[in-house]
Amino acid sequence: MIHFSNVSKIYENQTALRNITFSVEKGEMAFITGPSGAGKSTLLKIIYLSEKPDEGSVTIAEWELSKLKESSIPFLRRNIGVVFQDFRLLDNRNVFDNVAMALRIRGMTEYDVKERVMEVLKTVNLRHKTDSFPKALSGGEQQRVVIARAIVGEPTVLLADEPTGNLDSDTAAGITRMFKEINAKGTTVLVATHNRELFRNTGRRVIKIDNGAIVGEELG
Amino acid sequence: MYIMYSLKLAVQSIWREKWINLLSVLTIAAGLFMITLTFFSVYNMDLATKKLPEKFSMMLYLNNDLPEQEAANIISTLKKNSAVERARYISKDKALEELKGVLKNADYVLEGINENPLPASIEVKLRQESVSISKVKKLAADIKKIKGIEEVEYGEQFLNSIHSIKAGAQTLGLLMISIMSTGVIFVCYSTVKIMFYRRKEEIETFKLLGATRGFIRAPFVIEGGILGIGGGVVSLIGTAALYYTLFYKLALAMPIFKIIVFPSEVFIALPLVGLTLGISGAIIALGRIRFS
Ligand SMILES: Nc1ncnc2c1ncn2[C@@H]1O[C@H](COP(=O)(O)OP(=O)(O)OP(=O)(O)O)[C@@H](O)[C@H]1O
Ligand SMILES: [Mg+2]
């Protein structure tokens, strides 16, 4: 589903990724871990086309990203749900509208939007916060809004960048459980985190990177 | 389709920045008002000159020895021309008679002249609707070539100067209209640009969620269009008020204003022109939308 082949990314004078090669299979749930600055976010950004690799090639499903027409990018992105490390919630819109946005850009009718958003907000346990604004939510609640927005469009791939941030371990465990459920329904899930708690005892593949390079792989 | 949602976003955006948008609408209205005034001036000038009587008659003076039969032939040739409404032969005697009629009691000036000095002539009336100044000139030149015609007389000098005044006014008007239109486009451009920058963060997020160019552009294009229509409607109110004042109030004192014509097409044209200019400004402001 996701295939990196000798991918490197160099920012001005900082090498963020060196010669990365790995694959994530369809329906798999895998983790990427490494210390801060290792290149986890950069790797995910390449997948959702927010950054372009300087070397190597990346294939998502059957699409070779470098050969993708720019006008097709939106349609690929609709198949990739992203939990952004910095959330990217819209402060001037309430929880409902933030989640609904992912469906509205697809041109879904307001009736269907409402039904689907309410369903997802129930999944992430935020039905009671529908009308709240992001600034009025706790960190964990905001995190769950971002997750809701990422999964509301039923993407084939879910990318989560540090989805538990600095949440307490109970809340973190709840979020991991949620990802497992999503994965169980067939979505390919790739989680980037420096938090070992998240993949301990999951039995899933963990790709370890440091200083932009893959330094090992283990089972969680 | 997302167009209903785009409309909602556009209306929200207009409401959120109502003062900036109000200012834009008024500026656009001022620009469109001046465009309308320019257009009216040129239009009415054009209408007025169309009715000038000088344009519609010509006198063809005939050679002194031309037989009347020849003159009749010339007349029937002339009548074949679609621009000619009628042509009338005026014999030497008739001309003298008419002159006497004009002079009335002052006809003593003709005393002592025993031979009729006036030439026979053909008076030509041209059709009003099918005649432009340049056509009249060409017709006159053609007629002059006909054998037996000594001279063609019409208000050449007068028509020439009217013609160049009209051409000058039209050029000036076109220039004014172009400048004003550019100004209106620029106002829409700047307003939409400001709105776009205010929402830059949000647009980045839309892109990452998979929004197409169309989805990103639509609210701004709609906003530009609404500003344009708004400006059009406000300027229409201004124009109508001005027309009412000229036609119904000032015309009482100065009847000259009665001749001003207000084409009703303007009621549709102004909002449409506003819409077009507004959308153009918005599209230029958005430029190319990139995803990576
Ligand atoms: N836009 C950028 N311009 C320049 N350098 C960048 C940019 N983005 C990331 N970097 C650099 O690339 C390296 C990898 O950054 P990245 O954000 O991928 O790390 P990370 O593993 O996600 O870290 P963290 O766990 O703190 O989120 C870092 O050294 C960072 O400074
Ligand atoms: Mg990161």
Side-chain angles (χ1 to χ4, degrees):
Chain A
M1 179 56 78
I2 302 168
H3 185 72
F4 274 56
S5 172
N6 301 312
V7 172
S8 296
K9 173 74 193 175
I10 298 135
Y11 291 114
E12 291 101 66
N13 41 24
Q14 168 77 37
T15 306
L17 294 176
R18 307 166 202 269
N19 214 24
I20 297 274
T21 302
F22 78 100
S23 298
V24 177
E25 298 310 316
K26 191 169 191 293
E28 190 185 351
M29 174 163 170
F31 292 86
I32 291 175
T33 192
S36 180
K40 304 181 293 294
S41 296
T42 306
L43 193 149
L44 296 188
K45 280 177 187 165
I46 287 176
I47 300 176
Y48 62 81
L49 295 119
S50 170
E51 293 286 358
K52 272 200 178 100
D54 294 302
E55 276 168 44
S57 70
V58 178
T59 313
I60 311 291
E62 68 271 30
W63 288 301
E64 211 308 27
L65 297 192
S66 65
K67 293 193 182 121
L68 201 65
K69 268 194 309 187
E70 202 178 337
S71 56
S72 312
I73 291 179
F75 301 98
L76 179 60
R77 282 181 177 157
R78 290 178 193 182
N79 289 304
I80 304 174
V82 185
V83 178
F84 302 99
Q85 185 168 12
D86 54 356
F87 295 176
R88 289 194 162 273
L89 289 173
L90 308 173
D91 288 336
N92 57 353
R93 289 171 206 276
N94 65 22
V95 168
F96 180 90
D97 282 331
N98 265 281
V99 177
M101 205 48 84
L103 299 177
R104 286 177 176 148
I105 56 145
R106 290 161 155 87
M108 196 184 264
T109 66
E110 279 305 304
Y111 181 84
D112 294 340
V113 166
K114 194 172 164 102
E115 199 173 47
R116 176 72 187 134
V117 170
M118 284 310 189
E119 191 183 316
V120 171
L121 285 179
K122 200 169 135 197
T123 313
V124 298
N125 250 320
L126 280 176
R127 275 300 283 267
H128 57 298
K129 295 287 185 184
T130 310
D131 298 325
S132 303
F133 284 81
K135 285 262 153 63
L137 299 177
S138 74
E141 286 165 343
Q142 290 181 20
Q143 189 70 259
R144 281 179 286 154
V145 178
V146 183
I147 292 170
R149 187 183 60 190
I151 63 174
V152 73
E154 300 182 311
T156 35
V157 175
L158 177 66
L159 305 176
D161 195 353
E162 218 62 83
T164 55
N166 38 22
L167 302 178
D168 63 77
S169 54
D170 281 353
T171 317
I175 284 175
T176 312
R177 206 179 316 120
M178 211 181 290
F179 286 152
K180 279 186 179 157
E181 281 166 23
I182 294 160
N183 174 241
K185 284 180 192 154
T187 305
T188 307
V189 180
L190 184 58
V191 183
T193 182
H194 63 258
N195 184 359
R196 305 191 65 82
E197 291 282 326
L198 228 56
F199 48 80
R200 183 175 293 153
N201 299 325
T202 55
R204 313 286 181 150
R205 216 147 55 88
V206 181
I207 298 156
K208 295 200 270 190
I209 64 172
D210 195 4
N211 200 16
I214 295 186
V215 293
E217 200 180 301
E218 63 181 38
L219 288 184
Chain B
M1 272 308 282
Y2 51 74
I3 223 64
M4 287 314 289
Y5 188 69
S6 303
L7 189 66
K8 193 177 154 193
L9 283 185
V11 172
Q12 267 176 6
S13 167
I14 288 178
W15 184 246
R16 206 171 288 154
E17 303 287 351
K18 42 187 163 315
W19 300 115
I20 294 180
N21 283 305
L22 184 65
L23 195 67
S24 304
V25 167
L26 293 179
T27 317
I28 294 166
L32 288 176
F33 184 68
M34 287 198 266
I35 289 176
T36 317
L37 280 192
T38 312
F39 170 75
F40 270 12
S41 310
V42 174
Y43 178 80
N44 275 288
M45 192 165 177
D46 202 51
L47 277 189
T49 56
K50 268 201 183 115
K51 290 174 192 152
L52 287 173
E54 280 80 355
K55 230 169 81 177
F56 309 109
S57 67
M58 269 182 201
M59 290 301 285
L60 319 182
Y61 296 105
L62 304 174
N63 280 341
N64 237 338
D65 48 0
L66 194 77
E68 208 170 322
Q69 183 51 42
E70 281 296 311
N73 287 344
I74 292 175
I75 287 178
S76 60
T77 316
L78 285 173
K79 278 185 171 163
K80 282 183 197 138
N81 190 313
S82 63
V84 175
E85 189 167 283
R86 48 198 160 80
R88 178 171 72 107
Y89 178 72
I90 303 170
S91 66
K92 287 171 75 81
D93 296 344
K94 185 102 190 339
L96 190 63
E97 210 173 283
E98 281 183 8
L99 181 62
K100 278 182 179 158
V102 172
L103 294 173
K104 285 185 185 148
N105 295 336
D107 62 357
Y108 54 83
V109 293
L110 297 174
E111 274 169 29
I113 302 173
N114 30 32
E115 201 189 330
N116 183 351
L118 298 175
S121 61
I122 298 172
E123 187 191 53
V124 178
K125 287 272 177 219
L126 300 175
R127 250 179 252 283
Q128 295 213 3
E129 60 284 358
S130 65
V131 174
S132 67
I133 290 176
S134 51
K135 250 193 198 160
V136 174
K137 292 176 90 165
K138 180 160 184 321
L139 188 67
D142 287 347
I143 290 175
K144 208 161 186 177
K145 287 188 205 127
I146 299 175
K147 217 167 139 248
I149 291 180
E150 178 81 30
E151 225 191 301
V152 177
E153 205 181 270
Y154 66 105
E156 184 171 11
Q157 285 260 302
F158 180 75
L159 286 187
N160 273 344
S161 51
I162 288 288
H163 191 61
S164 49
I165 289 173
K166 233 174 85 173
Q170 273 170 358
T171 314
L172 198 69
L174 211 62
L175 192 72
M176 282 281 288
I177 289 175
S178 314
I179 293 173
M180 288 298 156
S181 305
T182 313
V184 170
I185 291 179
F186 183 73
V187 172
C188 297
Y189 164 91
S190 327
T191 313
V192 169
K193 203 88 179 163
I194 292 171
M195 299 301 154
F196 191 77
Y197 277 114
R198 295 240 163 133
R199 294 179 48 206
K200 203 139 186 68
E201 276 285 309
E202 178 174 303
I203 288 163
E204 278 313 307
T205 305
F206 286 1
K207 284 186 196 170
L208 290 175
L209 295 177
T212 55
R213 292 193 171 112
F215 183 87
I216 293 165
R217 283 200 183 111
F220 296 101
V221 174
I222 294 173
E223 186 167 346
I226 293 178
L227 293 181
I229 294 178
V233 170
V234 173
S235 66
L236 190 57
I237 295 169
T239 312
L242 179 73
Y243 178 70
Y244 179 83
T245 317
L246 290 183
F247 198 87
Y248 293 99
K249 296 281 163 63
L250 274 184
L252 293 180
M254 287 179 274
I256 180 82
F257 287 113
K258 268 281 189 225
I259 66 165
I260 295 175
V261 178
F262 186 93
S264 58
E265 286 87 352
V266 165
F267 281 99
I268 306 156
L270 263 182
L272 273 184
V273 169
L275 177 74
T276 313
L277 297 181
I279 288 178
S280 311
I283 288 175
I284 299 171
L286 294 172
R288 207 170 133 64
I289 300 215
R290 305 206 58 105
F291 293 111
S292 56

